[in-house]
Amino acid sequence: MSLFGKLFGSGGKGGKAPTAQEAIQRLRETEEMLTKKQEFLEKKIDQELLTAKKNGTKNKRAALQALKRKKRFQKQLDQIDGTLSTIEFQREALENANTNTEVLKNMGFAAEAMKHAHDNMDIDKVDDLMQEITEQQELAQEISDSISKPVGFGEEFDEDDLLAELEELEQEELDKNLLDITENVPLPNVPSSSLPSRPAKKKEEEDEDDMKDLERWAMEAM
């Protein structure tokens, strides 16, 4: 007899063992119960802590008693945390075992169905059928190729010539667009007043400047 059977008793030798689904449901119910207990203890811990703070300076005895109760509640809370971890681990193990059982059962069912499906199959007939299908596919491809070939519906054109013609058309369109933009841009107005004229040097001053330039070039050449 298992440990749990010794602790809680069993249905006897003829008793039916619980299913995985039943055990998982029981564990979930236990988890819910312990979670509610957890929430209750957390509230009690907060209350005792608040009581200890209020009486910390006024009533030291009451504050110490509140802290003791808080410690007991905290200990119970820690125990519940450990119990929940154990139950969660057991529930996950049962869920995995149940999943594996269902998977194996379905795989066995599929294997039987496949075996039954192959009972009436002859490998030689399958090979002949695949060979015939291959031949028919090749014949269909040849027919499609023959139909798709152009016969007397025009001449073949050089793709390079077509690309060159396309580039010329694109260049013409670009030039036209540039010309339109140039025509639409307004030109600045011509000033109505004449520009100030630079006063002309006197003939004597010009001759004198020329002589100075000639002397400077002569000195540089020496």
Side-chain angles (χ1 to χ4, degrees), residues 2 5 36 52 63 83 89 91 104 107 114 118 122 124 129 161 185 191 207 218:
S2 64
K36 291 179 180 179
T83 304
F89 175 79
R91 176 177 54 79
L104 290 174
M107 290 176 65
M114 186 178 295
H118 291 162
D122 187 351
D124 294 331
L129 178 61
D161 293 340
V185 174
D207 294 342

Side-chain angles (χ1 to χ4, degrees), residues 144-151 153:
S144 298
D145 294 340
S146 299
I147 293 174
S148 62
K149 289 181 181 178
V151 180
F153 291 104

Side-chain angles (χ1 to χ4, degrees), residues 1 3 88 93 102 121 141 167 182 197:
M1 183 180 294
L3 176 60
E88 183 179 2
E102 291 297 323
M121 287 187 182
Q141 185 63 41
E167 290 180 0
T182 304
S197 59

Side-chain angles (χ1 to χ4, degrees), residues 113-128:
M114 186 178 295
K115 181 180 179 181
H116 178 71
H118 291 162
D119 284 342
N120 298 324
M121 287 187 182
D122 187 351
I123 188 62
D124 294 331
K125 292 181 179 180
V126 173
D127 290 338
D128 294 339

Side-chain angles (χ1 to χ4, degrees), residues 37-45 73 76-77 80:
K37 181 68 174 178
Q38 238 180 358
E39 295 173 356
F40 171 77
L41 289 174
E42 287 174 352
K43 291 180 181 179
K44 296 295 291 183
I45 289 173
F73 292 145
Q76 294 179 38
L77 185 62
I80 291 177

Side-chain angles (χ1 to χ4, degrees), residues 14-196:
K16 185 179 178 181
T19 64
Q21 289 293 343
E22 292 174 346
I24 291 171
Q25 183 61 31
R26 290 284 188 89
L27 289 174
R28 285 176 177 169
E29 293 173 357
T30 304
E31 282 182 291
E32 292 178 2
M33 179 190 66
L34 291 176
T35 301
K36 291 179 180 179
K37 181 68 174 178
Q38 238 180 358
E39 295 173 356
F40 171 77
L41 289 174
E42 287 174 352
K43 291 180 181 179
K44 296 295 291 183
I45 289 173
D46 293 338
Q47 291 175 359
E48 297 300 337
L49 185 60
L50 183 61
T51 301
K53 289 180 180 179
K54 287 182 179 180
N55 296 283
T57 56
K58 300 177 182 179
N59 190 341
K60 188 175 181 181
R61 181 182 180 84
L64 290 175
Q65 291 296 326
L67 288 177
K68 288 179 180 180
R69 290 191 295 270
K70 172 185 169 295
K71 289 289 186 181
R72 289 198 303 269
F73 292 145
Q74 184 65 52
K75 185 177 180 180
Q76 294 179 38
L77 185 62
D78 293 339
Q79 291 174 344
I80 291 177
D81 288 339
T83 304
L84 280 173
S85 297
T86 303
I87 291 176
E88 183 179 2
F89 175 79
Q90 189 178 19
R91 176 177 54 79
E92 290 176 353
L94 273 173
E95 289 174 345
N96 291 333
N98 187 50
T99 301
N100 293 335
T101 301
E102 291 297 323
V103 169
L104 290 174
K105 188 185 300 182
N106 293 331
M107 290 176 65
F109 180 78
E112 288 294 332
M114 186 178 295
K115 181 180 179 181
H116 178 71
H118 291 162
D119 284 342
N120 298 324
M121 287 187 182
D122 187 351
I123 188 62
D124 294 331
K125 292 181 179 180
V126 173
D127 290 338
D128 294 339
L129 178 61
M130 295 305 299
Q131 181 65 29
E132 184 177 353
I133 292 174
T134 302
E135 292 175 358
Q136 292 300 321
Q137 288 178 342
E138 293 176 353
L139 178 59
Q141 185 63 41
E142 292 177 1
I143 293 173
S144 298
D145 294 340
S146 299
I147 293 174
S148 62
K149 289 181 181 178
V151 180
F153 291 104
E155 299 179 355
E156 296 292 336
F157 297 98
D158 188 358
E159 187 175 353
D160 293 337
D161 293 340
L162 294 177
L163 290 174
E165 184 176 354
L166 179 61
E167 290 180 0
E168 291 179 2
L169 293 174
E170 292 176 349
Q171 187 62 40
E172 290 178 3
E173 185 67 20
L174 180 60
D175 295 340
K176 181 181 177 182
N177 293 335
L178 291 175
L179 182 60
D180 292 340
I181 294 174
T182 304
E183 291 177 353
N184 293 329
V185 174
L187 295 176
N189 296 327
V190 178
S192 57
S193 60
S194 60
L195 296 174

